[in-house]
Amino acid sequence: MSADPSEFEIPPPTGSSESSSAPSRRAFIATSTAVGGVVAGGVVGMTSLADPEEASAVGASASSRVSLTVNGTRRTATVDNRTSLLDLLREHLDLTGSKKGCNAGACGACTVLVDGRRVNSCLTLAVRLEGAEVTTIEGLADGDELHPLQKAFIDEDAFQCGYCTPGQILSGVGCIQEGHTNSPEEIREWMSGNICRCGCYVKIVRAVEQTAGRK
């Protein structure tokens, strides 16, 4: 049943002599909407008239030149300030041994050594490493002579698919250098940030123990 149009009329004040000119509620809403649309259109229009060059400058990201020593060789690159160490290694220096797993610092596949300390390279900004020394899996061996932990990983068969292995080995080297190898439990604790989806943890711990001289 349709509503009586008179229901939408705004009643004039008592005693008003201009009752016939009072706007209806429906007319008031329609007028307000129209005015609002004009104002919104003006704001949008002003935004769209911004200088294209100015907008481009705002959207453009800054770049920096960074020099660091990677596996004993001085390397220099100009990178976006948001570039991670992992992307610098993989995309700019063609060192793809460090793997991009979660890209959120949760799996450890990207672990490298920076000034001898373990870091998740996916969470480390390259521009903050000016003058630093970085060691990746490619620089761990001495020519054809494998690093003792690389040999131990082979001896213990401490890998399956191998995707996490570079990060596991670099983390293991750091763990040994830090002196956190007094027991299998301590090794597991200090390497807990490195995930092996194939489940080779027991053999990984054995390889670290072997290299640390416990076996």
Side-chain angles (χ1 to χ4, degrees):
M1 178 171 126
S2 61
D4 186 344
S6 63
E7 292 180 6
F8 295 95
E9 296 295 321
I10 300 177
T14 304
S16 172
S17 60
E18 299 180 357
S19 59
S20 60
S21 62
S24 69
R25 181 179 301 176
R26 182 174 299 171
F28 175 78
I29 293 174
T31 302
S32 300
T33 302
V35 173
V38 172
V39 173
V43 172
V44 172
M46 290 174 62
T47 303
S48 64
L49 292 176
D51 187 347
E53 292 185 5
E54 191 175 311
S56 177
V58 172
S61 57
S63 297
S64 298
R65 190 174 180 83
V66 59
S67 295
L68 60 165
T69 302
V70 181
N71 299 329
T73 302
R74 192 71 171 175
R75 308 294 295 271
T76 301
T78 300
V79 297
D80 185 300
N81 287 346
R82 300 166 297 181
T83 301
S84 67
L85 173 58
L86 178 60
D87 285 338
L88 171 65
L89 295 172
R90 292 180 59 85
E91 307 298 334
H92 295 264
L93 304 183
D94 295 324
L95 296 172
T96 57
S98 302
K99 303 305 181 187
K100 182 177 284 191
C102 65
N103 205 33
C107 73
C110 67
T111 303
V112 299
L113 300 179
V114 175
D115 294 332
R117 297 173 61 88
R118 294 178 283 175
V119 302
N120 289 320
S121 59
C122 72
L123 296 183
T124 305
L125 289 176
V127 294
R128 299 191 64 183
L129 298 179
E130 178 66 32
E133 292 191 11
V134 179
T135 302
T136 72
I137 193 68
E138 291 90 344
L140 205 55
D142 183 9
D144 293 332
E145 182 68 19
L146 294 178
H147 185 278
L149 187 54
Q150 290 176 306
K151 293 180 180 178
F153 262 66
I154 295 173
D155 293 342
E156 296 292 341
D157 194 24
F159 51 87
Q160 190 167 320
C161 78
Y163 194 84
C164 74
T165 303
Q168 295 280 3
I169 291 176
L170 266 299
S171 185
V173 170
C175 190
I176 293 169
Q177 292 176 350
E178 295 159 14
H180 299 304
T181 58
N182 295 311
S183 67
E185 292 74 22
E186 185 176 23
I187 293 172
R188 284 194 290 270
E189 174 66 24
W190 285 90
M191 290 190 61
S192 60
N194 291 81
I195 305 301
C196 175
R197 290 177 172 81
C198 298
C200 296
Y201 296 111
V202 172
K203 295 179 179 180
I204 290 171
V205 171
R206 287 176 183 168
V208 174
E209 282 187 306
Q210 176 181 312
T211 306
R214 292 184 53 80
K215 294 179 71 175

